[in-house]
Amino acid sequence: DGLGRAELFFVSVAKISRFAAKLDAFTFSIQFSEQDQQISQLLDSLEQACLDIIGSEALGSVLRRILAVGNLMNESVGKSPAAGITLDSILKTSNKKGLDGKTTVLDHVVGTLMKQEEHDSKTLNFWDDMQSVRGATRIDLRDCKTNYNQLRSSLKKTNGTLNVESKLVKRGAGGKKLKTFVEKCTSFSALASSRLEALSKRLSEVEDAVNSLCNFFGEDPCTCQATSIFAVLTSLAQQVKSSKEIWARKEKARLKT
């Protein structure tokens, strides 16, 4: 008597056996679908970004031109030409300056393309077609794996609770409410197990895509992350934009003379 609502609530909770474990199982069951969907969406975005980069003809054309000009500069000073362009060399080669001490390799590549009478604008605007990469710049496969493992751990814990409560129901203990809890929990466990199996498969598929992206740039998948590649390409796109602006100003000044 005389107890407030909060006190009455805790008195009622205290009468429920293994309340904390049941609450954890219930909370996990109502949050699982959203968490599963979030991980799936991140994986889809990451995979699409990897595929778009590897399949971009425009980006490949820019990178080949950067490599070609960079090799010409290397040969001019007696250095051996590079067989290919790596992640680490993209920005280094792009920023190499010529004899005037101002014009970079990328400036030359951009200027050459801009001077072409009917140059393919898509080549220099490769970043415009990479919305997927922009949306995946902060997606780390390692975080997706961590979140997946947390879901597996929570499901294991839930199954442990389900096992305990199921034994009580089989002995006729716990009443109707416990029986309902066990039935709903059993149904959820089966669904969650199926979804996690599918999510595990997606993780493997996306990891293959990330590994292919690393190999595309001559990087070791064990030490290179997709986020590092996205960061380099973001910087390259910004530098291409800057080089285009520089070329436009020079062209405007030239036409005035």
Side-chain angles (χ1 to χ4, degrees), residues 162 169 173-187:
L162 176 59
V169 170
K176 184 178 180 180
K177 289 184 179 180
L178 182 59
K179 183 179 180 181
T180 300
F181 171 82
V182 168
E183 290 175 349
K184 290 185 177 297
C185 200
T186 299
S187 177

Side-chain angles (χ1 to χ4, degrees), residues 227-240:
T227 48
S228 299
I229 296 175
F230 298 156
V232 169
L233 295 182
T234 299
S235 296
L236 177 63
Q238 292 171 344
Q239 291 182 17
V240 167

Side-chain angles (χ1 to χ4, degrees), residues 56-63 65 109 113 116 119-127 129 240:
S56 174
E57 294 182 5
L59 175 61
S61 178
V62 170
L63 295 179
R65 290 171 182 270
V109 169
L113 286 169
Q116 291 178 4
H119 72 276
D120 185 356
S121 61
K122 287 187 176 181
T123 299
L124 290 177
N125 296 332
F126 65 88
W127 194 240
D129 296 327
V240 167

Side-chain angles (χ1 to χ4, degrees), residues 18-142:
R18 298 167 299 283
F19 173 76
K22 292 175 183 175
L23 179 61
D24 285 343
F26 175 71
T27 302
F28 176 58
S29 69
I30 61 177
Q31 293 178 344
F32 175 81
S33 180
E34 181 180 355
Q35 293 173 340
D36 170 45
Q37 187 175 29
Q38 286 177 345
I39 297 174
S40 296
Q41 290 175 344
L42 290 174
L43 291 175
D44 289 344
S45 297
L46 181 56
E47 182 183 47
Q48 190 60 55
C50 293
L51 295 176
D52 285 350
I53 291 173
I54 295 174
S56 174
E57 294 182 5
L59 175 61
S61 178
V62 170
L63 295 179
R64 285 192 296 272
R65 290 171 182 270
I66 291 173
L67 175 63
V69 176
N71 278 339
L72 285 175
M73 293 179 67
N74 285 339
E75 291 175 2
S76 68
V77 293
K79 292 184 179 180
S80 301
I85 195 161
T86 63
L87 184 65
D88 184 57
S89 68
I90 291 176
L91 297 182
K92 287 182 179 179
T93 304
S94 296
N95 291 321
K96 279 185 178 180
K97 294 181 179 179
L99 296 176
D100 64 0
K102 297 180 180 179
T103 305
T104 66
V105 167
L106 188 59
D107 289 336
H108 178 77
V109 169
V110 170
T112 300
L113 286 169
M114 295 294 288
K115 288 176 183 177
Q116 291 178 4
E117 187 173 350
E118 294 182 357
H119 72 276
D120 185 356
S121 61
K122 287 187 176 181
T123 299
L124 290 177
N125 296 332
F126 65 88
W127 194 240
D128 294 343
D129 296 327
M130 290 192 174
Q131 295 293 333
S132 60
V133 180
R134 299 182 190 185
T137 52
R138 296 184 179 180
I139 301 178
D140 193 321
L141 184 61
R142 293 172 298 184

Side-chain angles (χ1 to χ4, degrees), residues 184-201:
K184 290 185 177 297
C185 200
T186 299
S187 177
F188 163 72
S189 178
L191 174 64
S193 295
S194 176
R195 283 299 308 144
L196 286 180
E197 184 177 346
L199 197 57
S200 176
K201 183 179 179 181

